[in-house]
Amino acid sequence: MFDLAVFGSLFLTLFVIMDPPGITPIFLALTSGRPAKVQKRMAFQAVCVAGGVITVFGLLGHQILNYLHVSVPALMIAGGLLLLLIALDLLTGKTDEPKQTKDVNVALVPLGMPLLAGPGAIVSVILAVQKADSVATQLSVWAAILAIHVVLWVVMRYSLLIIRVIKDGGVVLVTRLAGMMLSAIAVQQIINGVTQVVRNS
């Protein structure tokens, strides 16, 4: 009742796309200056948001995109542009948000989506669910989705220990590095989307 090959394949695909180690500096940059309790809550919120988005698209992905008349490349380009705006804020140090919405916004955007539940992860899950033609493969697909989100939560939850070592100066450095990394991810995502549009035209 469990297909280990399907589980392993999807888990590794999502691990590469969602990149738990790579999300660590970005998470630290976006949550710096907040109490540890708030940061831990934000890590959990971000994973829950990502899990919710992935689940919805896994179950209703094709219907949602078809109803909105949105193609996968368009989704990739839009996500890339959003990430690029956030990356520019990190690079220039303009990360201040209104106090009353600061925690919620960071947990929802960009941590939950599109960083964790980005177009790549969404498309991979849609295709995996579509190909799962038995109960065993369906269970394997959803087990892999659950497992990667547990890994993401653990990585972000315990990345808070890094803050105690690198202090405020290190956080500033990590913020700038995260901005550079995020901008590269965003540009690559836009390029991938444009490339698919050109191929399909």
Side-chain angles (χ1 to χ4, degrees):
M1 290 294 293
F2 192 82
D3 193 324
L4 190 59
V6 171
F7 172 87
S9 176
L10 182 58
F11 180 83
L12 288 176
T13 299
L14 292 177
F15 188 92
V16 171
I17 293 172
M18 302 176 89
D19 192 14
I23 202 66
T24 301
I26 298 172
F27 173 74
L28 291 175
L30 292 173
T31 61
S32 63
R34 297 170 173 82
K37 186 176 181 180
V38 173
Q39 290 175 311
K40 293 174 185 177
R41 186 173 72 246
M42 290 173 67
F44 181 72
Q45 288 174 340
V47 170
C48 287
V49 169
V53 172
I54 291 292
T55 299
V56 168
F57 275 94
L59 295 172
L60 304 170
H62 278 293
Q63 293 89 328
I64 292 172
L65 294 181
N66 289 337
Y67 178 78
L68 297 174
H69 302 290
V70 174
S71 65
V72 172
L75 188 65
M76 296 176 70
I77 294 171
L81 290 173
L82 179 59
L83 286 180
L84 188 58
L85 290 174
I86 296 162
L88 292 174
D89 280 346
L90 289 176
L91 284 169
T92 58
K94 297 178 181 177
T95 56
D96 293 333
E97 301 175 32
K99 194 171 185 179
Q100 65 272 22
T101 60
K102 192 173 183 180
D103 294 349
V104 175
N105 283 348
V106 174
L108 294 176
V109 178
L111 287 175
M113 183 178 180
L115 277 177
L116 299 181
I122 289 172
V123 172
S124 296
V125 169
I126 290 174
L127 294 176
V129 171
Q130 186 179 14
K131 291 178 182 176
D133 54 1
S134 67
V135 175
T137 51
Q138 285 282 351
L139 285 175
S140 303
V141 165
W142 291 107
I145 293 170
L146 177 62
I148 191 62
H149 283 83
V150 170
V151 170
L152 285 165
W153 175 77
V154 169
V155 169
M156 288 192 293
R157 167 68 173 76
Y158 290 101
S159 68
L160 300 177
L161 298 175
I162 299 173
I163 295 177
R164 300 177 187 175
V165 178
I166 64 178
K167 306 297 182 184
D168 291 342
V171 170
V172 173
L173 176 61
V174 168
T175 299
R176 299 298 181 267
L177 291 174
M180 291 178 61
M181 292 168 55
L182 197 55
S183 62
I185 293 171
V187 171
Q188 186 61 55
Q189 193 162 290
I190 293 170
I191 291 172
N192 292 343
V194 172
T195 301
Q196 288 194 28
V197 170
V198 172
R199 286 177 180 173
N200 295 335
S201 61

